Amino acid sequence: MPQSYRVAILGATGAVGTELLELLAERNFPLASLKLLASPRSAGKTLSFQGEELPVEATSEGCFEGIDIVLASAGGSTSKAWAPKAVEAGATVIDNSSAFRMVPEVPLIVPEVNPQAAENHQGIIANPNCTTILMSLAIWPLHQVQPIQRVLAATYQSASGAGARAMEEVKHQARAILKGEEAKAELFPYPLAFNLFPHNSPLNDLGYCQEEMKMVNETRKIFAAPDLRVSATCVRVPVLRAHSEAINLEFAEPFAAAKAKELLQEAPGVTVVEDWDANYFPMPVEATGKDDVFVGRIRQDLSHLCGLELWLCGDQIRKGAALNAVQIAELLVQKDWVKGRQPALSR
């Protein structure tokens, strides 16, 4: 009989957690059981899954006993506290926070890019940052044909990157502004509705914020290219869901835009959206709820003979977070790389 797995979602009531629930059902993941974990304030709630109401439990000592795979999306401090305990209990943890991404022995995985790196995990696999995942899908097919020497990225990041409450905050701000009232900011440092500002993560001594450095360091690790030159400017924009990115690539030799388009049309997880006559290219409103990263406006860089420009949009909650995590779990199941407990047999 086919094997099935005992799965726990850590952070089940958040925006990514609820998306994980939907994806496990949509993709018919081989479940023997499903446990929903969250903070004590969420304990006692129920969430719908395949016609059933599943209870949410408080994360506590012993809660990972009997679990094969943990899909964690509850923030870095929570992952640091609980992921090692889950591994000790015999589970494999796929973590969506930044807690373990740059730990050398922890694989950082985008299944369409570096699946083989997941094989020798030691119990924890890290999900990259949303902007890194989206960009990786768009540039990896080109990098395989002709190695990229330099990446310049400008991101246009939606409120969804800060969670469900941030999305609601932007809606409230927009309503207030349209009524002539003051727009109040609580989760963001400034009102985001009808506004934009550089990403508000902490700045380093060079003036780059944490979000920008994630793109630099994570791309190098995923591509196994520690000397790859990457620079990013990350901006929060008044879009509810789905991030956008303007990418400039530099190669050692010219790379024809037509060839790049052909490669991207064949790339897994990518949909090319281009109608030059209609000036129609990827938009976050159309990428919302979709699994693929939408790529378009592929063109030569007028300022550099060996440069390419492209534009992309992708759903931050799906491919930028939950979908990538579920795909990693599917990879582990397919390759029999789930470490620890033996999977249960489905009844």
Side-chain angles (χ1 to χ4, degrees):
M1 299 182 69
Q3 292 177 332
S4 56
Y5 295 79
R6 296 159 290 206
V7 174
I9 298 177
L10 178 60
T13 57
V16 176
T18 54
E19 200 78 18
L20 284 167
L21 270 176
E22 291 184 20
L23 286 163
L24 289 173
E26 277 181 29
R27 299 173 72 87
N28 197 28
F29 190 85
L31 290 169
S33 63
L34 181 60
K35 178 181 283 191
L36 307 183
L37 299 170
S39 64
R41 67 176 179 272
S42 296
K45 293 181 179 179
T46 61
L47 294 175
S48 297
F49 180 75
Q50 293 185 319
E52 295 184 42
E53 291 297 316
L54 300 183
V56 177
E57 304 175 28
T59 310
S60 60
E61 294 291 338
C63 68
F64 299 108
E65 290 297 327
I67 297 297
D68 301 306
I69 299 172
V70 177
L71 301 172
S73 189
S77 59
T78 300
S79 289
K80 286 179 180 178
W82 291 106
K85 294 182 179 182
V87 174
E88 288 175 8
T92 297
V93 178
I94 300 168
D95 183 49
N96 196 55
S97 79
S98 61
F100 303 102
R101 289 174 185 158
M102 298 313 299
V103 176
E105 61 269 24
V106 174
L108 185 64
I109 302 297
V110 179
E112 296 89 343
V113 176
N114 63 334
Q116 70 289 341
E119 180 177 6
N120 296 316
H121 70 84
Q122 299 176 28
I124 299 175
I125 296 175
N127 215 29
N129 192 48
C130 50
T131 50
T132 307
I133 292 173
L134 303 180
M135 183 175 74
S136 294
L137 257 69
I139 69 174
W140 176 251
L142 311 182
H143 182 70
Q144 287 184 293
V145 172
Q146 191 175 149
I148 296 168
Q149 294 194 331
R150 186 181 186 217
V151 182
L152 298 178
T155 72
Y156 306 77
Q157 296 179 223
S158 64
S160 66
R165 289 176 56 214
M167 296 167 70
E168 289 303 311
E169 177 168 297
V170 174
K171 291 179 185 178
H172 290 310
Q173 290 172 351
R175 293 189 191 105
I177 291 171
L178 291 173
K179 291 178 181 178
E181 300 171 357
E182 180 185 359
K184 297 180 180 179
E186 296 179 0
L187 295 173
F188 290 120
Y190 315 104
L192 184 57
F194 304 105
N195 191 27
L196 58 81
F197 45 81
H199 200 281
N200 55 293
S201 54
L203 295 169
N204 65 16
D205 292 340
L206 297 175
Y208 284 83
C209 72
Q210 191 176 78
E211 188 80 358
E212 292 159 350
M213 293 311 300
K214 287 176 184 178
M215 295 190 75
V216 174
N217 296 322
E218 292 177 18
T219 303
R220 290 172 174 169
K221 183 173 180 178
I222 294 164
F223 282 28
D227 297 324
L228 179 62
R229 291 178 291 158
V230 182
S231 183
T233 299
C234 295
V235 180
R236 189 73 75 184
V237 296
V239 172
L240 285 180
R241 181 163 165 166
H243 292 351
S244 304
E245 303 180 22
I247 308 295
N248 179 280
L249 303 174
E250 181 182 323
F251 302 88
E253 298 177 358
F255 200 128
K259 178 61 176 178
K261 180 177 180 180
E262 178 184 322
L263 291 167
L264 289 169
Q265 286 174 324
E266 299 172 354
V270 172
T271 295
V272 174
V273 177
E274 284 192 337
D275 185 338
W276 292 89
D277 292 336
N279 199 14
Y280 173 69
F281 304 104
M283 293 181 284
V285 69
E286 294 187 347
T288 294
K290 303 297 194 308
D291 289 346
D292 279 7
V293 175
F294 291 2
V295 181
R297 256 198 121 199
I298 306 159
R299 63 202 188 279
Q300 298 295 150
D301 179 350
L302 292 177
S303 69
H304 197 295
L305 179 65
C306 302
L308 276 181
E309 303 266 11
L310 58 85
W311 169 257
L312 66 84
C313 296
D315 190 316
Q316 176 273 335
I317 300 177
R318 286 187 80 89
K319 184 54 186 174
L323 175 60
N324 200 73
V326 172
Q327 287 176 312
I328 293 172
E330 292 170 342
L331 171 68
L332 298 182
V333 168
Q334 179 187 5
K335 298 290 188 178
D336 195 24
W337 291 345
V338 179
K339 301 292 178 69
R341 298 182 179 276
Q342 293 297 313
L345 290 177
S346 60
R347 298 176 181 176

